[in-house]
């Protein structure tokens, strides 16, 4: 079993706020791992530290055995480690296909809008839009999609870059409950069929219990518990953390 992500003793402070304190976790290749915890417990901060959006104050992050603690976001992305955001970041004035084009892993970024989108990339963009169920919307602008569809587009954009590990920040937040099952199914298929390892922040307990094989729970910036979904679900410390935050 290959350890893909190794977070060791990471601490991150914002002024006087200790957002993460001494956090360690691992994600093995092929897994779907959950990261839960009440609002403000430090989940998003940990994602930002992992992908290089801000430096940690203490600790280290390794990806596939390589030291990435001090790398920036583009360098980490080139190694195959990407994140999506709680608030989707798609381009509302560009079509779905154009959004896919700028996400191609060639590093051309926005330039790819102005040509240079190769035939292979077009095919892959169409396949991935089909994979997330947005095939019929591919020439609509991002801003014309529903919120749930925008999240699916963002997911397809992330897949365009062929990540090995994808960090998803509350992928089901704001999505109509009837669409959530479809999204869970697509996340599982991305894992099983496309071979993408997933670390998923999720607020919806039913979703994460259904999706993850292991779950880490944060509270007040610290790791509170780790285990299989059924253990986490019945862990009194986890229950108390959520009740206390409610
Ligand atoms: P979660 O994603 O679990 O809701 P966050 O990681 O967003 O939690 O936040 C953890 C703590 O760190 C909160 O107290 C939050 O206010 C604080 N925090 C997060 N980002 C920043 C920032 N950029 N500047 C200052 N404080 C921040
Ligand atoms: Mg968050």
């Amino acid at each position: 079993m290959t350890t893909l992500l190794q977070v060791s003793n990471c601490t991150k402070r914002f002024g006087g706020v200790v957002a993460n304190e001494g956090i360690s976790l691992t994600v093995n290749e092929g897994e779907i791992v959950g990261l839960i915890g009440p609002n403000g417990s430090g989940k998003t901060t940990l994602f930002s530290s992992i992908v290089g959006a801000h430096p940690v104050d203490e600790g280290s992050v390794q990806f596939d055995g390589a030291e990435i603690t001090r790398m920036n976001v583009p360098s980490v992305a080139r190694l195959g480690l990407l994140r999506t955001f709680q608030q989707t970041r798609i381009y509302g004035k560009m079509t779905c296909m154009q959004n896919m084009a700028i996400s191609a892993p060639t590093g051309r970024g926005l330039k790819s809008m102005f040509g240079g989108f190769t035939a292979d990339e077009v095919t892959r963009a169409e396949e991935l839009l089909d994979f997330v169920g947005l095939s019929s919307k591919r020439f609509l602008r991002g801003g014309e999609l529903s919120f749930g569809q925008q999240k699916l587009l963002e997911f397809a954009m992330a897949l365009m870059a062929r990540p090995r590990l994808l960090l998803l920040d509350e992928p089901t937040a704001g999505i109509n409950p009837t669409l959530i099952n479809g999204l869970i199914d697509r996340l599982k298929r991305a894992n099983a069929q496309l071979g993408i390892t997933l670390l998923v922040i999720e607020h919806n307990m039913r979703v994460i219990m259904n999706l993850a094989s292991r779950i880490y729970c944060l509270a007040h910036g610290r790791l509170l518990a780790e285990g299989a979904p059924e253990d986490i679900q019945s862990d009194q410390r986890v229950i108390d953390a959520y009740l206390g935050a409610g």
Side-chain angles (χ1 to χ4, degrees):
M1 195 157 52
T2 307
T3 301
L4 207 47
L5 178 69
Q6 175 91 53
V7 173
S8 310
N9 276 307
C10 280
T11 294
K12 178 68 189 174
R13 301 181 193 91
F14 296 107
V17 177
V18 187
N20 288 156
E21 187 171 1
I23 295 191
S24 299
L25 59 80
T26 58
V27 178
N28 299 311
E29 184 141 51
E31 278 191 303
I32 303 181
V33 175
L35 181 61
I36 65 170
N39 269 330
S41 58
K43 305 179 298 295
T44 297
T45 299
L46 187 64
F47 270 19
S48 299
S49 296
I50 291 169
V51 300
H54 56 215
V56 288
D57 295 305
E58 287 157 37
S60 72
V61 183
Q62 283 162 348
F63 180 62
D64 195 23
E67 178 63 41
I68 62 166
T69 317
R70 304 279 156 215
M71 280 189 192
N72 61 17
V73 172
S75 307
V76 171
R78 272 194 292 276
L79 296 177
L81 172 46
L82 290 183
R83 65 103 65 98
T84 62
F85 291 87
Q86 208 169 330
Q87 305 298 327
T88 51
R89 295 195 177 179
I90 59 155
Y91 296 89
K93 294 192 173 159
M94 288 166 43
T95 67
C96 292
M97 281 298 278
Q98 286 170 330
N99 272 284
M100 296 297 280
I102 60 161
S103 309
T106 45
R108 291 192 309 274
L110 280 167
K111 280 184 217 148
S112 50
M113 257 186 80
F114 308 106
F117 197 23
T118 68
D120 280 356
E121 286 167 350
V122 171
T123 304
R124 182 165 172 78
E126 285 178 341
E127 282 170 2
L128 288 172
L129 286 174
D130 188 43
F131 178 75
V132 300
L134 289 179
S135 201
S136 64
K137 317 270 183 205
R138 63 191 184 281
F139 299 118
L140 289 186
R141 291 172 197 271
E144 295 175 84
L145 302 178
S146 72
F147 183 74
Q149 290 167 339
Q150 291 182 5
K151 293 212 114 169
L152 289 167
L153 174 60
E154 190 190 29
F155 179 51
M157 288 164 69
L159 296 177
M160 192 70 191
R162 300 182 189 275
R164 289 181 69 193
L165 173 59
L166 195 50
L167 311 185
L168 300 164
D169 199 341
E170 301 202 23
T172 68
I175 295 193
N176 176 333
T178 58
L179 293 180
I180 286 182
N181 287 340
L183 181 64
I184 295 176
D185 176 59
R186 284 188 180 97
L187 297 180
K188 284 183 171 173
R189 280 172 51 205
N191 176 255
Q193 295 169 12
L194 307 179
I196 298 168
T197 305
L198 300 175
L199 176 58
V200 185
I201 294 177
E202 185 51 66
H203 221 68
N204 183 325
M205 283 293 171
R206 181 182 68 83
V207 171
I208 202 65
M209 296 295 156
N210 182 330
L211 192 61
S213 57
R214 284 193 305 124
I215 296 174
Y216 290 92
C217 179
L218 301 187
H220 304 293
R222 296 189 193 188
L223 191 61
L224 184 68
E226 181 220 333
E230 52 274 23
D231 298 331
I232 289 291
Q233 207 166 10
S234 57
D235 190 312
Q236 195 58 44
R237 295 167 302 172
V238 174
I239 295 164
D240 289 346
Y242 274 88
L243 291 177

